[in-house]
Every structure is written in C-alpha cells, then in structure tokens.
Amino acid sequence: GRPDAVARNAAAAAAQGYGAIKLHEIGVAEVQAARDAVGPDVLLMNDANCPWSVTEALEMAAALRPCGLHWLEEPVWPPEDFQGLARVRTAGVPIAAGENAGGLLDFKRIFEAGAVDVAQPSVTKVGGITEMRKIIALAEAYGVRLVPHCAYFGPGFLASLHIAATMPDQPPLERLFVDLDASPFSPWTEAANGRLLVPPGPGLGCDPDVALVQRFQAAPATVTR
C-alpha cells in the first residue's frame, strides 16, 4: 500500500540477485513503483490475493498492462470462479492461479475453462509430491505452464524445491523475502545471489536441526493450584 516501501524492497531484492520479484499489491501506483525501481529486465509478478470482481479485475488488468507484469495472480473473488478468470485473461495480462485448488480435479476444471496462463499448485494443499506430479503431467497435456506455489520454509519448501529441480523448464521457486534469524533447514532455505541449492539426502533431502529446534522450544507452563 506504499509505493515508496514497495520500490525500496523491490530494489533491495534485485540487488541481492533475485531475477524475479512477486508483489502483493492491489494498486497500480505500487506496482509501477516496483517496475521503475527494478527496471525492465527483472520479471515482475503481482499476487492480488483474490480482491476483485470480474469487472474490477478486468479494469485493473488493463490499468496494470503498462507495468509489464510477467503475470497477475489470483485477481478474482472467489478463487473458484474459473470462468471469470478466463474472462480476465482477455485483458492481455498473463493470469496465474491455483494455490487454492485442492487437487488434480480442480486443476482439470481450471484448464478446461482456459482460466490460466500459469498453474500454481501448492504441494501442501494438493496432497503431496505424487499428486503434484500428476498435476504437472496434466498441465503439460493442456499446454499450460506450471510454477509451484511455495510460501513456506519447512517441509513444504523442501518438497517444492525438489519438484522444481526435476522440471525441465526450470521454473522459478518462490521464497518469501525475509531474513530468518534461524532455520532448522538451513542452509537449504537460504538464497545466494538469487539461487538455492537442493539438499542431496534421502526423502526431502535433509533432516531438521534438532538442536536448533530444542534451543527455541518454549518452556512448559507452570501450573499452580
């Protein structure tokens, strides 16, 4: 909601090597401020978090077109209005959605409606890695690009990291732009120059640092009678 803050943070992310930046804004001024701050070569996305009717979303998509968005994410309420999303695609801005979808059949409905340019299943919501692989195959069959949704730092992050690493088109992996004081999955959750390493161990690649978990564990409450 503050163009100056959006510009400052977008510029900081670009300076750290992030080649793609996602905003969470609902105003044109804020998105334009980010574009002005990072220049034309950084991919810029905007996740609006389902704030608009179809009519409002069409108006906003047209207003945002000069910002050169790589995609506009979840512009329509409710998120299950796939026909409405399909209408918003006609405004000429690529549309992304899918983090609220519950599994393979939801994505089949999304693809049949022609609702998205970019599908964004969340591994923690659709039923795990096996279901994600099915959705990836379905997206390929429909000719829809897929980028995993990943607003996590725990097992969901590690699973998304492995999934993205197996995809031949090398989709960007979403990482919240925060500096963690500590992480039980460090260093695998930390980006360097806009890139991440994939943990090589079995399962999700690494175990949590139990000593770190114990250090931050809350003390049991004292009970008095």
Side-chain angles (χ1 to χ4, degrees), residues 152-202:
Y152 313 108
F153 281 109
F157 181 90
L158 296 176
S160 300
L161 178 57
H162 280 282
I163 290 165
T166 68
M167 296 175 65
D169 63 340
Q170 297 184 328
L173 183 73
E174 187 172 15
R175 182 190 184 277
L176 296 176
F177 189 57
V178 297
D179 295 321
L180 300 175
D181 286 336
S183 169
F185 295 109
S186 185
W188 311 109
T189 52
E190 311 310 313
N193 195 30
R195 295 192 173 272
L196 291 153
L197 295 174
V198 181

Side-chain angles (χ1 to χ4, degrees), residues 19-130:
I21 296 171
K22 182 191 285 190
L23 310 174
H24 289 268
E25 300 295 334
I26 56 172
V28 176
E30 291 79 11
V31 178
Q32 186 61 58
R35 172 55 74 200
D36 293 341
V38 303
D41 297 328
V42 173
L43 299 181
L44 193 65
M45 295 83 75
N46 188 56
D47 183 355
N49 294 118
C50 307
W52 302 311
S53 68
V54 172
T55 299
E56 291 168 336
L58 282 164
E59 294 171 352
M60 288 301 300
L64 289 166
R65 196 181 301 125
C67 300
L69 286 178
H70 191 55
W71 71 59
L72 176 61
E73 185 172 333
E74 299 219 307
V76 171
W77 177 263
E80 299 83 11
D81 185 1
F82 305 142
Q83 298 297 331
L85 275 177
R87 287 178 57 195
V88 178
R89 285 186 71 199
T90 65
V93 176
I95 297 298
E99 69 178 271
N100 289 301
L104 183 68
L105 293 180
D106 275 351
F107 279 96
K108 187 172 186 293
R109 296 184 187 101
I110 291 172
F111 299 154
E112 288 176 344
V116 296
D117 299 277
V118 182
Q120 294 185 291
S122 171
V123 68
T124 67
K125 295 180 181 179
V126 300
I129 293 174
T130 299

